[in-house]
Amino acid sequence: MRNLFCTLRQLYGDLKLQTKIVIVLILSGCVPLLIIGLLFYSQLNDMVVSYTIRQEQDASARTSPLIEETVQEVLDTYNEICEQPFYHTLFEHPVDSTLSSAAHSDSAAEFRNALLGLTSGSLITGIRIYVDFPNKNSELFQNPNTKDIFCPVSTIRGTYWYGIFQGSRIQYLHCPSFYLGAKEQRDNGDTAYIHRAALRYHGDSLDCYVAVYYSSQTLTDILSENLQLAGSVSYITNERNALVASSNPSLSGIYWLDYDTIRESFMSSNNFIERTIVNQKVYAGFYSINQPGWFMVTVLPSAPLVSLSGRIMLQYVALYLCFLLMAALLANLLARSVTNRISSVISQMRQVRLGPPVSMDGPRYHDEVGDLIDTYNYMARKMNQLIDDQNKAAEDLRIAEFNSLQAQINPHFLYNTMDM
């Protein structure tokens, strides 16, 4: 192990300075980021679940009032029907012999026009009043002013909602689609609010049902807009454990929770709870729709949350790689800004082998490398000065030797000349 460490240290020591600087800068910038990423990944799923649940809570808090407003609009439509003068004439006074004249009256025409106005919007799709007249050929069923509104009870016998009214003394009922008959849904609408009434006719009290039909698509659209996560579902269930509306009927069937379980969970917690449905962990939230006594259920499967965590982690890895590349480029540029100037000094110093040192241009930046260049220039000047001094001293010595030899030669030359 010690030999391996020594080998690695030697290898690192032999690397170019630029490579060392790049390695150090990348490690100092990216290793902490990698450690943070690993720690973040262990908490990522919990963070995604918490964030998604908080988003769904906020969305559901906005959705519940919208559903209640839709139901209230239906109830307001029923109240407007009850306020019509023709409705008062029929249901607050005996209509023994006055039924024919009432059906031909101006108030009947006004009643028909008022109801047509109520169904001209985007929500209400139909209004019907079912009356159990002994005579199926009643004037209300024949007169042009009323025949599109009043229908015999026999047309709705056998429907689920009619059976509920017959089996209990409830006064009104919010009916999901399967409560209604097929013809009823086709002609009027797939969801209804039905209110029981009574009409006095020849001393008897006749059962009547005022039905305000509307489209469940409105509720479906509201529920769909509530969802933030793919694969999740929102649905509404009533007190009879029946599905009122759903953003996805097939998924609501898979993640169905009965009414009693929903009520108990709603009473025990106002947050999403973790449950296991069909061997799959899900997060379910419950919201009360007060007016009809419904509950809205939002179910978030764990699988899409895991997929979302994976996508976020991939995004983090991609971001990390981009950061790593950027760090390498910046480290390389920083290292080159230092090593290039050092290399120029080294190259200039190598010229000493071929001749006297030559000074470099003055440094642009006065950092350590700039000080090194200044020092080299000072050294080059000193060396050139010493070389010049040495050359001058050698020249002076040569001249002195020549003069000395000349001084020795001159007397002998004169003597020899005189001797000859």
Side-chain angles (χ1 to χ4, degrees):
M1 187 69 182
R2 182 180 180 85
N3 292 335
L4 178 61
F5 177 76
C6 292
T7 302
L8 292 176
R9 184 173 63 180
Q10 183 64 37
L11 290 175
Y12 177 78
D14 293 338
L15 293 175
K16 296 293 185 181
L17 182 60
Q18 179 177 348
T19 305
K20 292 179 181 179
I21 294 176
V22 171
I23 292 175
V24 170
L25 289 177
I26 290 177
L27 291 178
S28 62
C30 296
V31 170
L33 188 63
L34 180 61
I35 295 174
I36 293 174
L38 293 176
L39 295 176
F40 172 72
Y41 180 75
S42 62
Q43 304 295 328
L44 180 61
N45 187 63
D46 293 337
M47 294 172 61
V48 169
V49 170
S50 300
Y51 176 74
T52 306
I53 287 177
R54 184 166 60 252
Q55 278 191 317
E56 292 294 346
Q57 285 178 323
D58 295 340
S60 298
R62 298 189 298 268
T63 301
S64 300
L66 294 177
I67 296 175
E68 291 185 347
E69 289 176 7
T70 301
V71 175
Q72 186 60 49
E73 185 176 346
V74 174
L75 297 179
D76 291 342
T77 300
Y78 168 75
N79 292 331
E80 290 186 38
I81 295 172
C82 296
E83 292 174 359
Q84 296 298 318
F86 185 73
Y87 184 89
H88 286 283
T89 301
L90 289 181
F91 292 95
E92 295 184 5
H93 305 282
V95 291
D96 300 342
S97 60
T98 60
L99 183 59
S100 178
S101 59
H104 289 83
S105 65
D106 292 338
S107 63
E110 293 174 358
F111 183 67
R112 179 178 180 276
N113 292 332
L115 268 57
L116 288 176
L118 294 175
T119 57
S120 62
S122 59
L123 178 62
I124 307 302
T125 56
I127 297 173
R128 294 292 182 270
I129 300 176
Y130 300 97
V131 185
D132 192 14
F133 280 116
N135 181 11
K136 295 182 181 181
N137 296 322
S138 172
E139 188 65 27
L140 291 177
F141 305 149
Q142 304 294 329
N143 191 280
N145 290 333
T146 57
K147 67 177 183 178
D148 293 334
I149 301 171
F150 291 88
C151 301
V153 170
S154 60
T155 59
I156 46 90
R157 283 195 177 98
T159 60
Y160 188 78
W161 68 263
Y162 182 76
I164 294 175
F165 274 108
Q166 297 306 302
S168 63
R169 298 308 302 171
I170 59 173
Q171 287 299 113
Y172 61 88
L173 184 65
H174 292 270
C175 301
S177 58
F178 86 93
Y179 281 25
L180 309 178
K183 185 176 184 302
E184 196 177 3
Q185 294 185 48
R186 184 175 63 253
D187 296 342
N188 304 312
D190 60 355
T191 313
Y193 170 75
I194 301 176
H195 200 285
R196 188 200 296 266
L199 187 147
R200 287 180 288 175
Y201 182 72
H202 292 294
D204 295 328
S205 179
L206 304 181
D207 287 336
C208 301
Y209 303 95
V210 181
V212 179
Y213 296 93
Y214 59 99
S215 174
S216 62
Q217 187 62 41
T218 303
L219 299 177
T220 299
D221 292 341
I222 295 174
L223 293 174
S224 299
E225 293 173 359
N226 170 47
L227 299 177
Q228 307 293 323
L229 181 68
S232 58
V233 61
S234 283
Y235 60 87
I236 300 173
T237 179
N238 65 8
E239 69 283 357
R240 295 179 179 272
N241 208 32
L243 180 67
V244 177
S246 173
S247 62
N248 190 319
S250 60
L251 287 180
S252 61
I254 296 173
Y255 301 121
W256 181 257
L257 296 171
D258 63 85
Y259 188 83
D260 293 335
T261 300
I262 295 171
R263 183 171 56 185
E264 292 174 4
S265 301
F266 176 77
M267 296 299 293
S268 63
S269 175
N270 60 354
N271 201 343
F272 275 68
I273 63 172
E274 183 178 323
R275 299 184 66 88
T276 300
I277 301 177
V278 196
N279 297 324
Q280 182 181 4
K281 184 170 68 174
V282 300
Y283 302 92
F286 313 101
Y287 302 88
S288 176
I289 310 299
N290 296 322
Q291 180 60 37
W294 295 341
F295 277 109
M296 184 182 73
V297 182
T298 299
V299 180
L300 309 177
S302 59
L305 294 175
V306 174
S307 299
L308 180 60
S309 300
R311 289 196 299 272
I312 293 177
M313 195 61 196
L314 288 177
Q315 293 174 359
Y316 173 80
V317 171
L319 183 63
Y320 176 80
L321 292 176
C322 292
F323 179 82
L324 183 63
L325 179 61
M326 185 181 299
L329 293 175
L330 291 177
N332 187 59
L333 291 175
L334 177 61
R336 288 180 61 184
S337 68
V338 175
T339 58
N340 283 353
R341 291 185 292 161
I342 294 178
S343 298
S344 64
V345 176
I346 294 173
S347 176
Q348 197 71 23
M349 293 179 70
R350 285 175 178 169
Q351 300 299 322
V352 177
R353 299 176 182 177
L354 305 177
V358 179
S359 298
M360 301 176 61
D361 294 335
R364 182 178 179 183
Y365 305 107
H366 296 282
D367 51 4
E368 287 81 355
V369 180
D371 292 341
L372 177 62
I373 294 174
D374 286 336
T375 303
Y376 168 77
N377 289 337
Y378 175 77
M379 181 189 68
R381 290 194 298 270
K382 284 295 184 182
M383 290 181 66
N384 288 329
Q385 183 178 355
L386 289 174
I387 291 172
D388 292 341
D389 292 344
Q390 186 179 11
N391 291 334
K392 183 178 180 181
E395 181 67 18
D396 291 342
L397 178 61
R398 187 184 64 79
I399 294 173
E401 290 177 349
F402 176 78
N403 292 333
S404 176
L405 291 174
Q406 188 178 24
Q408 294 177 6
I409 291 173
N410 287 340
H412 290 287
F413 177 76
L414 294 174
Y415 174 78
N416 293 332
T417 300
M418 294 176 65
D419 183 55
M420 290 176 63

